[in-house]
Amino acid sequence: AVRPDGLNINDGCGATHPENISKLVLEHKADCGIALDGDADRVIFCDSDGVEVNGDRIIGMIALDLKKRGRLAADTVVVTGMSNLGLHRAMKENGISVEVTDVGDRYVIERMREKGFNVGGEQSGHIIFRKYAHTGDGLITALMLMQVMIDTQLPLSVLAAGVTMYPQVLKNVRVDDKDGTLADAAVQAAVDACTAELGDSGRVLLRKSGTEPVLRVMAEAGTAEECEKQVDRIIAAMEKSGHLIEVKK
């Protein structure tokens, strides 16, 4: 039974817990599953095998389809710094430019308005189609992607295979001073070493939380093990510098 109490939004359900819709898709042998969040501005899909399809892959699939139809403004999509390297690779291979903003949908829509782009969004499934709305809308996004499935007569799993995600590891690290940690020479050296070692095959990213004394340390690479190695190298530098308080669970 549904029992909203004003506090249990997204509690164990919706776009933040797509495993639920995955089970239902397999149970009902559906073509796809659609999971919205509490205010329906975000959407996450799963394919007929119950495999999650996140916002990056949704942006990629729709952008590829719009480009083929000559409807992707300036052949460009707008994403944030958290979007997966796999999306960047897929877009580059298909002649689509990627504009990167700070994390947050407001930065995405600002760039879209500024330069006249019509598709942008976030890995979380918050996607904006400026022709139809100036905010993320999960229902519009779902309709757009299902239209691609209908027009191409291809299952979601085949369409999504065109936008392969790199393994990603993200750890939240509590520190005594966010700016001081980022500016620390040992931390900067660790980031530089990780970047040099990964080369074109991955990346590392440090980002400040906007609400708590936490730095988000993220790595993308060919394997989850490589991601873990690079993230832990940066965290070790934070500990050595004396800024680390704890790695949050």
Side-chain angles (χ1 to χ4, degrees):
V2 177
R3 296 188 179 89
D5 61 11
L7 300 173
N8 58 359
I9 299 169
N10 299 323
D11 185 13
C13 66
T16 55
H17 293 275
E19 64 275 7
N20 297 319
I21 202 72
S22 295
K23 292 175 185 175
L24 288 172
V25 164
L26 295 173
E27 180 182 333
H28 294 282
K29 298 181 179 178
D31 291 320
C32 67
I34 302 166
L36 303 168
D37 68 330
D39 59 356
D41 64 352
R42 285 184 286 147
V43 63
I44 297 293
F45 270 71
C46 67
D47 65 20
S48 57
D49 295 319
V51 176
E52 180 183 339
V53 178
N54 68 18
D56 280 342
R57 303 182 87 186
I58 294 169
I59 291 168
M61 286 183 282
I62 294 175
L64 289 169
D65 183 72
L66 290 174
K67 184 177 186 295
K68 288 178 185 176
R69 299 171 188 276
R71 296 178 183 171
L72 182 64
D75 286 342
T76 299
V77 295
V78 182
V79 300
T80 76
M82 293 301 290
S83 277
N84 193 277
L85 185 59
L87 173 62
H88 288 261
R89 289 287 172 85
M91 296 297 92
K92 182 178 180 180
E93 290 169 2
N94 288 277
I96 297 174
S97 298
V98 180
E99 292 250 342
V100 180
T101 74
D102 289 338
V103 176
D105 61 287
R106 70 187 184 97
Y107 299 112
V108 173
I109 189 60
E110 283 174 6
R111 184 72 57 83
M112 292 171 71
R113 286 172 175 159
E114 176 190 347
K115 297 192 175 182
F117 302 133
N118 61 350
V119 177
E122 300 181 283
Q123 190 181 85
S124 62
H126 194 159
I127 302 168
I128 302 163
F129 298 99
R130 207 165 62 91
K131 179 179 178 181
Y132 305 109
H134 291 272
T135 60
D137 190 306
L139 294 176
I140 291 175
T141 303
L143 290 170
M144 292 283 287
L145 185 53
M146 287 190 291
Q147 188 65 57
V148 175
M149 294 171 64
I150 291 168
D151 289 344
T152 60
Q153 289 294 290
L154 291 172
L156 184 56
S157 58
V158 173
L159 292 169
V163 188
T164 304
M165 296 288 97
Y166 277 53
Q168 183 183 87
V169 169
L170 172 68
K171 294 187 180 181
N172 295 312
V173 183
R174 193 175 192 86
V175 295
D176 60 357
D177 177 355
K178 290 185 285 189
D179 290 323
T181 305
L182 291 175
D184 186 90
V187 174
Q188 290 183 348
V191 171
D192 290 343
C194 293
T195 300
E197 187 170 314
L198 290 171
D200 293 335
S201 64
R203 65 172 182 144
V204 292
L205 177 69
L206 271 67
R207 184 171 71 86
K208 293 187 292 185
S209 166
T211 56
E212 35 181 356
V214 163
L215 290 177
R216 310 195 195 287
V217 185
M218 187 268 282
E220 291 171 349
T223 66
E225 291 77 16
E226 183 66 23
C227 294
E228 193 86 23
K229 170 187 167 184
Q230 303 299 349
V231 167
D232 287 346
R233 177 190 288 189
I234 294 170
I235 292 173
M238 292 179 178
E239 184 172 20
K240 181 179 179 182
S241 71
H243 288 291
L244 184 144
I245 296 175
E246 65 171 333
V247 180
K248 299 188 71 176
K249 301 296 184 183

